[in-house]
Every structure is written in C-alpha cells, then in structure tokens.
Amino acid sequence: MTDVLRRGRVSLAFGFFAQGIAFALLVTRIPAVQDRYGVSDALLPVFLAAVPILAGIGSVVTERLVRRVRPSRL
C-alpha cells in the first residue's frame, strides 16, 4: 500500500469517525436540543434524519471536489 493511499484511508476513517461522534453527541442531547431550538416531538424525526442526509450530501460534494483539487488540500 502506498503512502498516499494509506493517508487517504486514514483521512476517510477520521471523517466517518467525526460524523459518528457528532451524531452520537446530538442523539444523547435530544432534550436539550429540543428545548434550546424549540423542536417539537413531531418535528424531531425530520431533524434527526437531516443529519445523515447532510452527511451524505457532504460526502458526494467532497468526492467531486477531490476530483478537481488535490486531496491533500482538502
């Protein structure tokens, strides 16, 4: 395995790890988030579904950016 491939895999793993930690922190603080932002129980599933949807969109955008810009710059 080349050094570039190894660094790419580590970066990808870190990205997924960061997304997972962020989602876990959000889920564990649901009551506080609801109180702070006024999210009702009916709107909560939409709010929670937005997180992985936005993460997926971010992954697709990043893929397209990597094709244009060197991965080391991203």
Side-chain angles (χ1 to χ4, degrees):
M1 182 181 328
T2 66
D3 190 46
V4 173
L5 184 57
R6 183 176 295 114
R7 283 186 285 152
R9 287 183 176 180
V10 169
S11 297
L12 181 64
F14 177 76
F16 281 117
F17 179 75
Q19 288 178 4
I21 292 295
F23 190 68
L25 290 172
L26 173 68
V27 170
T28 58
R29 300 198 32 95
I30 286 174
V33 170
Q34 281 183 297
D35 290 342
R36 183 171 183 176
Y37 297 108
V39 178
S40 68
D41 287 339
L43 188 60
L44 185 61
V46 174
F47 183 73
L48 291 175
V51 175
I53 290 170
L54 290 173
I57 291 169
S59 295
V60 171
V61 168
T62 302
E63 176 189 3
R64 292 184 182 186
L65 282 173
V66 166
R67 289 181 187 169
R68 295 182 183 178
V69 181
R70 291 186 334 186
S72 61
R73 289 197 172 188
L74 290 177

